[in-house]
Amino acid sequence: DVNQATLPPPAPGSLAREVELAVQVENAYVGSPCGNLDQIMIWHARENAGTLYEPEAKKISYIPLGAGAPDFAFVALDTGTDRPGLEKSTYKIRREECDAFAEELFAKSFINRPVLADVKDFGKIRDAYHSTAWAPHLERLAYLVSAQHNFGGMIDAWRSGDVAKVGEMFRADGWGLRDLYCISGPELETMCD
């Protein structure tokens, strides 16, 4: 219920309206520049399955965990640090930088729309921008391209029940967020290590 109004359930495989509402609240009311991925993963989570979101189609599907998977648990930890929300964090800065770089790449016809997920030839972009004012953004783009490239392998590991490989890939992604995307902190890194 939202303000005494019951929202109808979403169509199977589609985004819940509650996800869109949560994003609007975070963006417009809180001022936090979040996307919808966290809310999608929380709202659409199912036991013993990975939630796969396909942004182009706004489609949700579920990937069962492979039958050979050992018992394991995901653990959520709190670093205990007092920090601002996303609206005052490096995430907001990185998001603005990525959006600006996407507009630049689109304007110069490196991509067909201003979305960094559409980058197909990172080497060509790196060569064109390595000695320009945009050079600092290349590390962020390198992280995004790498994460996209590795995603299929992570899905395969999940499907086969290789949770150790999934964990290794999660940690490697964390190092990319720290070293290339530059959104981390010493407390989080200590906890993860």
Side-chain angles (χ1 to χ4, degrees), residues 49-76:
T51 305
L52 178 62
Y53 172 57
E54 299 172 55
E56 291 299 316
K58 290 191 173 184
K59 180 182 172 198
I60 303 293
S61 58
Y62 298 99
I63 301 171
L65 178 60
D71 286 340
F72 72 99
F74 286 106
V75 178

Side-chain angles (χ1 to χ4, degrees), residues 43-172:
W43 185 264
H44 290 281
R46 299 292 180 267
E47 188 174 356
N48 296 319
T51 305
L52 178 62
Y53 172 57
E54 299 172 55
E56 291 299 316
K58 290 191 173 184
K59 180 182 172 198
I60 303 293
S61 58
Y62 298 99
I63 301 171
L65 178 60
D71 286 340
F72 72 99
F74 286 106
V75 178
L77 302 171
D78 183 353
T79 61
T81 56
D82 184 23
R83 63 184 186 90
L86 288 178
E87 70 277 7
K88 297 177 184 168
S89 71
T90 54
Y91 173 85
K92 180 180 181 187
I93 295 165
R94 297 298 172 259
R95 177 73 187 260
E96 290 169 354
E97 290 171 346
C98 286
D99 289 347
F101 197 32
E103 291 289 345
E104 165 67 15
L105 294 176
F106 174 65
K108 297 291 178 12
S109 300
F110 283 100
I111 50 181
N112 294 325
R113 60 189 181 138
V115 176
L116 292 180
D118 287 359
V119 167
K120 302 295 183 233
D121 190 344
F122 175 71
K124 186 176 180 182
I125 293 168
R126 183 191 56 231
D127 292 346
Y129 286 94
H130 76 277
S131 60
T132 70
W134 294 102
H137 303 309
L138 291 173
E139 287 191 338
R140 317 263 193 270
L141 182 57
Y143 163 74
L144 295 170
V145 168
S146 174
Q148 270 191 308
H149 176 75
N150 294 333
F151 188 71
M154 195 273 303
I155 295 293
D156 291 343
W158 181 267
R159 280 191 173 116
S160 70
D162 189 349
V163 293
K165 182 68 174 172
V166 171
E168 289 171 17
M169 296 183 87
F170 278 9
R171 188 63 193 118

